Amino acid sequence: MARNHPKRRNTQAPAGGDGSPRPRQDRPRERSGGGDGEGWLWGTHAVTAALANPSRTLHKLLATENAAARLGAARITPEIILGKDLDNRLPAGAVHQGLALKAAPLNPASLEDLIDRGISHICVLDQVSDPHNLGAIYRSAAAFGFEGLVLQTRHAPPVTGVVAKSAAGAVETVSEARVVNIARALEQLAEAGYHTVGLAGEGRRNLADAVAGTAKLAIVMGAEGSGLRPAVAKACAELARIPIAPEMESLNVSNAAAIAFYEASRDRFPAA
């Protein structure tokens, strides 16, 4: 677990709203979630969000009778299937809630795409590897207005059904770009006017102070356990920390991300 106290080496606090953001059109290639699950999305939120995204090319929708009744009209007619048969079509342990959708992956984005589209708040993940954490970060990003996610082309999980289920539909609205070199991507973001803040236990400022009043922001999160790599930490404009009780060494990376996104967005989405 990454640590979040000064004098302890590390970054952020690792390992792992319901607005209506616009559907995503950019997505790196999606690969198998394991077993029979290649190309499948499952679970109510993941499937309904994909069905609502006009950029998704749909191939097959499987649903139990009850789930099909709850779903109502859809862009594709469901094939009614028994729950036990649906279990057999998906990876072991998939919590499908009676729904599974086979769909083509969305088209990829580039970092330049995110910048050119004027996305003001971006999260950069340095080798976060757990798919459940990645999905949870997607979900928090969508909730707090972080419309772009940057990952490395290696040492990061593909967007599978596991990620999509954990993201509860957010993979359809948060744009993801994959880059070869995270440190170089941070330099590129800085050149485009983004303030790049890495979460690290050795950070000199509290996170809330580091992100306050920043119009264009990139928050950088390190890997579960090891945190930010030295070259990535060095490429950040500054390192910041989430203050936590000394009895607890660290936070899960997806929890740390949610806190960071909230701190960066509390003035953007004031309470009604």
Side-chain angles (χ1 to χ4, degrees), residues 13 21 49 54 62 65 69 94 106 110 124 133 136 145-146 169 225:
L62 303 179
E65 190 171 351
L106 294 167
S110 68
V124 180
N133 284 338
F146 277 70

Side-chain angles (χ1 to χ4, degrees), residues 47-265:
V47 170
T48 55
L51 289 171
N53 185 355
S55 297
R56 278 279 190 185
T57 299
L58 312 179
H59 296 313
K60 181 180 290 188
L61 176 62
L62 303 179
T64 63
E65 190 171 351
N66 288 339
R70 293 194 304 269
L71 185 64
R75 286 198 290 141
I76 182 172
T77 302
E79 175 185 330
I80 304 303
I81 188 172
L82 295 176
K84 63 180 182 180
D85 294 329
L86 190 51
D87 291 338
N88 293 332
R89 302 288 287 272
L90 301 174
V95 182
H96 52 70
Q97 298 169 297
L99 286 173
L101 174 69
K102 193 160 193 175
L106 294 167
N107 294 326
S110 68
L111 183 59
E112 291 79 8
D113 291 334
L114 304 188
I115 294 170
D116 292 345
R117 281 165 47 193
I119 291 177
S120 63
H121 285 61
I122 291 173
C123 178
V124 180
L125 301 179
D126 182 27
Q127 299 192 345
V128 171
S129 60
D130 183 272
H132 294 93
N133 284 338
L134 178 57
I137 290 169
Y138 262 110
R139 186 173 186 173
S140 294
F144 293 112
F146 277 70
E147 296 181 63
L149 211 59
V150 178
L151 293 90
Q152 196 174 21
T153 51
R154 299 176 61 190
H155 308 296
V159 177
T160 62
V162 172
V163 174
K165 178 67 169 62
S166 298
V171 298
E172 306 298 326
T173 57
V174 176
S175 297
E176 180 192 296
R178 302 259 173 167
V179 298
V180 173
N181 189 307
I182 293 290
R184 174 60 193 128
L186 292 175
E187 293 172 2
Q188 191 173 346
L189 286 167
E191 290 166 1
Y194 290 82
H195 183 50
T196 55
V197 179
L199 264 66
E202 63 268 29
R204 295 185 177 183
R205 299 180 71 191
N206 283 346
L207 173 66
D209 298 328
V211 301
T214 303
K216 295 174 73 175
L217 175 67
I219 288 180
V220 190
M221 314 287 295
E224 300 94 338
S226 59
L228 295 178
R229 290 173 294 162
V232 172
K234 185 177 180 180
C236 296
E238 67 175 318
L239 301 180
R241 58 188 295 269
I242 299 172
I244 61 175
E247 294 81 10
M248 183 55 63
E249 184 180 4
S250 65
L251 293 172
N252 175 285
V253 66
S254 62
N255 292 338
I259 292 169
F261 299 160
Y262 168 76
E263 288 289 3
S265 301

